[in-house]
Amino acid sequence: MSKKRIKIMVSKLILDILDRDSKHFNMTREKLCNEILIVFSIRKMQGIEREELDEKTYLQFTLTQSTTEYYKAISSGIQDEPKFIRSIFTGYAHLNPFYREIILFRDKLIVLKDYCLKKEKLHISIGNRLEEVVVEEIKRCQITDYIKLGTSKGEFYLNELRIIF
């Protein structure tokens, strides 16, 4: 199975947001683009078009093997493939960071919310250290607009931790 390379003209704003989010989420732009393509194409609302006033530039990324299969299924019958992909990334870019993160990392948030409600201890990995914490709150950071967790061991951004259990 070969990988497919995507190259479409997008607003520079989209590239700026992708770069900021890939840095914040600590993932490559390739991985983030693959995640967005899957998650946001599922959520894409038909008929909503937003045109950007920003300068245009190219977004390039390679689909992973699993995303390639998914992409084949969702793109069959699409008349204007670049427009379809552009609308997915435009929809992503028009959400604030908090909502982008909620949508991309829904499964992780469900687990954290469950532990928060039950006030149970959870093992997490932050950087290269393991911690046993109680998640006290899940909130939007007023400064960065990304998700922040208040725990018994301090505050951490969602992207900083891995759930170990």
Side-chain angles (χ1 to χ4, degrees):
M1 168 88 17
S2 64
K3 295 180 180 179
K4 178 177 172 90
R5 186 103 180 122
I6 302 286
K7 182 177 180 177
I8 56 165
M9 182 73 76
V10 295
S11 164
K12 188 174 179 326
L13 171 68
I14 291 173
L15 287 185
D16 292 344
I17 288 171
L18 289 172
D19 288 341
R20 186 177 74 196
D21 282 0
S22 65
K23 181 186 256 185
H24 182 80
F25 299 148
N26 195 28
M27 65 174 62
T28 65
R29 186 195 286 178
E30 297 280 323
K31 181 170 174 40
L32 180 60
C33 286
N34 276 269
E35 291 294 318
I36 291 167
L37 186 66
I38 291 172
V39 175
F40 280 81
S41 67
I42 293 169
R43 297 179 55 88
K44 182 183 173 307
M45 297 185 343
Q46 297 295 343
I48 295 180
E49 295 294 327
R50 293 182 176 157
E51 190 57 39
E52 297 299 321
L53 301 175
D54 197 8
E55 65 183 274
K56 304 291 186 204
T57 187
Y58 282 98
L59 166 65
Q60 289 186 28
F61 64 100
T62 303
L63 298 178
T64 61
Q65 204 166 6
S66 61
T67 306
T68 299
E69 287 299 312
Y70 174 79
Y71 183 74
K72 283 180 185 177
I74 65 167
S75 65
S76 65
I78 298 289
Q79 299 290 331
D80 189 346
E81 187 176 332
K83 183 178 179 182
F84 174 71
I85 296 170
R86 191 172 21 260
S87 69
I88 291 169
F89 282 91
T90 300
Y92 174 81
H94 278 91
L95 294 173
N96 72 24
F98 180 73
Y99 290 114
R100 294 193 303 261
E101 201 167 11
I102 286 172
I103 293 167
L104 283 173
F105 303 107
R106 181 178 183 272
D107 294 341
K108 189 175 185 180
L109 277 166
I110 288 171
V111 171
L112 290 168
K113 188 174 180 181
D114 187 49
Y115 274 86
C116 182
L117 290 172
K118 293 178 182 175
K119 299 292 182 197
E120 290 181 7
K121 289 185 180 182
L122 173 69
H123 290 90
I124 60 172
S125 170
I126 301 169
N128 52 358
R129 72 181 200 270
L130 293 174
E131 296 282 352
E132 185 178 70
V133 300
V134 173
V135 179
E136 297 165 347
E137 68 176 335
I138 302 170
K139 63 182 181 179
R140 180 180 62 85
C141 176
Q142 297 295 318
I143 297 167
T144 65
D145 218 19
Y146 288 102
I147 297 173
K148 206 167 204 180
L149 304 174
T151 73
S152 56
K153 301 277 177 111
E155 290 189 338
F156 306 100
Y157 284 105
L158 177 67
N159 71 294
E160 294 178 313
L161 59 93
R162 263 186 37 224
I163 300 171
I164 307 297
F165 291 100

